[in-house]
Amino acid sequence: MDEAQLIAEAVQGDLNAFNRLVMEYQEKAFNLAYRMLNDDAAAEDATQTAFISAYKNLHSYRGGSFRAWVMRMVTNTCYDELRRRHRRPTVPLEPLNPEEDEEVESPAWLADGSPSPEEQVESQELEKAISHCIQGLPEEFRAVVVMVDVQGYDYAEVAEAIGKPLGTIKSRLARARLRLRDCLAGFRELIPAFFRLGEEVIQ
Amino acid sequence: MTIKKLSSKDWELISAYLDNELNPRDKARVEERLKTRPEYKEALDGLHRTKVILQKAPVRKVPRNFTLTAADVQPVKVARWIPAMQWSSVAVALVAVFLFAYQLVPGFISPQPGATPDLAVLEAPMEMAAAESTAADTPEIIYWGGPPLPEGEIYGKGGGGSGIDCSQPGVMCGGGAESMPIGGGGDGVPPLEMPFPQPPIPNTLPDLQADSDARATAAATEPVTGTGPVLGVRPETEQGEKLTEPAELLAVEREVEQESERQTRGWILGAAGALLAAGIGLFIAATIARRKSLS
């Protein structure tokens, strides 16, 4: 069954049809929420809330990219959560790394304390570096750079999802990339393989 | 080092070029600059490396399925009293605003209390008269029917009679009791005689003339006594008294009225403020209750 038919049935109130669309987009929705909120539990809540909101507002879907429309629900839910955090700041229950005297960004400490393979370590370092740098961006830049560079959307879809003009998307993306470039440069020694990879691609 | 020379517009062009999101004209322009300006190449390399690293970001697996159940999408029922509370708060706030406007905005629906146009029109000449009377000598007011006063102190005498023979042609008399010169000037002014002959007045009311003469004679011989509304006749004890400083009395009365109006106005404004506060409080409470019921 194609997407358009599923959407049409979902608009008629068919919850099963909508759930098939949820299965299709939940990973991207959850990853976008995670990159914006940098917290698994909050991302989970935001994703669930966004899908409920999407189902209740299906009548407002006017065609176009359904993926962008769903991502718009996710980004709006994340912005609401970020605003709520600003109003009621909380202290995260994460351990402090005594050596670096800074918070451990990855929640991997919860899962397993045993040593991991080298790739996994590098992947974790990369994850840590990216999360750290993305969280350093202004909130309105995060969704743009995650959707374009991490998830591979084109500018038009991002503009639709964010609800901003194309020029704004271009401008935000350029500034976000510039900041990320400077931030990631600080992790060059931790993730040399990925920097080498980037240089090879350029050459 | 030279990369710092790039403007934000340059960075936008390079970033969009990286994603192949430029129109052909801008794309050609960027490609031309990439050949001639090393800072362009350096900037493009830096952004490209960043993009490649971000593309390698690990994808997180979803912790669970986010499929919805019927319970998740069940419409939430809002208690009936919540909308009623919200509307009533709006009504209360509107009443408060109306009261404020009524008290504070001149000419809102009706003129301000205590300053009706009629009263204002009436007060204006009174105030002017009061000002004039205080500026000049305060006029004396004499009760009618009082004991005879020496000549020269009487002003007007209310058109009262005198020792003048009113039946003479050219002489005008009032209905008073005491003798005084015509014209109310006192000081023994001679009787005014009309410089031209008066046309004879037809004596169509002989009885009335006779009655008037009789009453004038009686008034001249008997002092007016008793109380009653007739022509403001006062008791004997008050006869001949002078009412002094009428302007001050008026001012005092006006001040009392204004004070009373101020108090009333204060009460109304206070009540309006309390209503407004109550309306806002109701609305906030209703909104919180609504949010709680929806969450």
Side-chain angles (χ1 to χ4, degrees), chain B residues 163-193:
Chain B
I164 299 161
D165 184 2
C166 293
S167 63
Q168 288 184 4
V171 177
M172 295 169 68
C173 293
E178 301 303 322
S179 64
M180 64 164 289
I182 295 295
D187 294 347
V189 179
L192 182 62
E193 292 189 10

Side-chain angles (χ1 to χ4, degrees), chain B residues 151-231:
Chain B
E151 270 188 79
E153 288 188 14
I154 304 170
Y155 299 95
K157 200 64 178 175
S162 67
I164 299 161
D165 184 2
C166 293
S167 63
Q168 288 184 4
V171 177
M172 295 169 68
C173 293
E178 301 303 322
S179 64
M180 64 164 289
I182 295 295
D187 294 347
V189 179
L192 182 62
E193 292 189 10
M194 302 301 283
F196 48 86
Q198 294 293 308
I201 300 169
N203 193 6
T204 53
L205 299 168
D207 293 337
L208 289 175
Q209 181 65 43
D211 187 42
S212 173
D213 290 345
R215 272 186 288 168
T217 309
T221 54
E222 296 175 11
V224 179
T225 58
T227 58
V230 181
L231 293 176

Side-chain angles (χ1 to χ4, degrees), chain A residues 92-112:
Chain A
L93 285 172
E94 288 183 6
L96 291 175
N97 187 335
E99 291 176 3
E100 297 178 3
D101 196 25
E102 63 178 18
E103 289 179 5
V104 175
E105 305 266 344
S106 168
W109 61 277
L110 281 172
D112 193 2

Side-chain angles (χ1 to χ4, degrees), chain B residues 2 13 19 21 96 99 105 113 120 123 142 160 167 208 217 222 239 241 272:
Chain B
T2 52
L13 284 172
D19 297 321
E21 292 271 0
L99 282 175
V105 181
E123 279 181 356
I142 311 297
S167 63
L208 289 175
T217 309
E222 296 175 11
Q239 287 179 6
E241 280 183 7

